[in-house]
Amino acid sequence: MALYFKKQLDNGATLAVWQVTETEEELKQLSSTPTDEMEEISFIRSESLRRQRLAVRALLNQIFDEKVYLSHHDNGKPYLENTVTNISITHTQKYVAVILHDEEDVGIDIECLDRDFSAVEKKALSEEEIDDLDEERKNEQLAIYWCAKEAVFKRVSTYKVDFASQIEVERFRPRGEGELEATFIRKGGYEEEFDLEYMTFDRHVLVWLVG
């Protein structure tokens, strides 16, 4: 299906999602992936992961008029070599998504709501967050919690973050789309506040933040 949607946010960021329906060969044609990166992708055993990586490339080709060179810092954070634009990337088996901003740092995460997120409760939530869970929509709420914490983690780009104690998400009730508030607590106790947004579509939840 190629580009699923692309929109400019009020804060100046570009948010774009690609639905991965193409074959690996079709994505190679659409992606114009540089030779060195194509060689790296070829070593990935999973065909699904190879398609996701190529779909990210195809999506970037749709967004930028000129070819961009995607690379990663030592901590895994992606960056574009030939532009100052900040980027964050996420993908599932069915969708890949990116968020871009020329000045502000960004973070994004997507998950399929058909997954079982019960493990998130034990490994990523504080006792207060667990107490706020709604049993009727628990899996959806856990998915949003996880995406929000992943988006913050990608934004702060820090090693060894304890999601349960260092990333706090304010109480919310799942809706089709909405806003979230989160706090990141650094090891020295310094706190950073973040405003996030989320939306759900096709049994997926997408969470992002800018700034």
Side-chain angles (χ1 to χ4, degrees), residues 131-156:
D131 288 341
D132 286 338
L133 290 172
D134 181 349
E135 286 299 323
E136 291 186 1
R137 304 183 68 179
K138 188 174 181 179
N139 199 65
E140 180 183 2
Q141 202 169 2
L142 287 171
I144 296 172
Y145 266 121
W146 179 252
C147 284
K149 295 195 177 202
E150 273 285 338
V152 171
F153 173 65
K154 292 177 179 180
R155 157 61 181 82
V156 299

Side-chain angles (χ1 to χ4, degrees), residues 111-170:
E111 292 288 349
C112 178
L113 291 171
D114 292 330
R115 280 184 54 190
D116 178 3
F117 287 92
S118 56
V120 171
E121 181 176 351
K122 295 180 180 179
K123 73 177 184 179
L125 266 59
S126 67
E127 291 185 8
E128 184 176 350
E129 290 167 339
I130 292 172
D131 288 341
D132 286 338
L133 290 172
D134 181 349
E135 286 299 323
E136 291 186 1
R137 304 183 68 179
K138 188 174 181 179
N139 199 65
E140 180 183 2
Q141 202 169 2
L142 287 171
I144 296 172
Y145 266 121
W146 179 252
C147 284
K149 295 195 177 202
E150 273 285 338
V152 171
F153 173 65
K154 292 177 179 180
R155 157 61 181 82
V156 299
S157 188
T158 300
Y159 290 101
K160 296 181 180 179
V161 172
D162 184 326
F163 278 32
S165 65
Q166 287 185 264
I167 305 176
E168 298 177 352
V169 178
E170 293 296 318

Side-chain angles (χ1 to χ4, degrees), residues 1-4 17-31 47-59 62 93-96:
M1 183 175 178
L3 188 65
Y4 190 73
V17 176
W18 183 285
Q19 186 176 20
V20 189
T21 58
E22 301 83 1
T23 65
E24 188 171 345
E25 289 304 315
E26 287 172 336
L27 285 168
K28 285 178 182 178
Q29 297 297 318
L30 292 168
S31 64
E47 179 188 352
S48 177
L49 289 177
R50 291 197 304 270
R51 290 171 64 226
Q52 290 169 36
R53 285 283 298 273
L54 290 168
V56 169
R57 268 284 170 199
L59 181 53
Q62 285 274 343
Q93 186 171 346
K94 192 172 180 179
Y95 291 98
V96 301

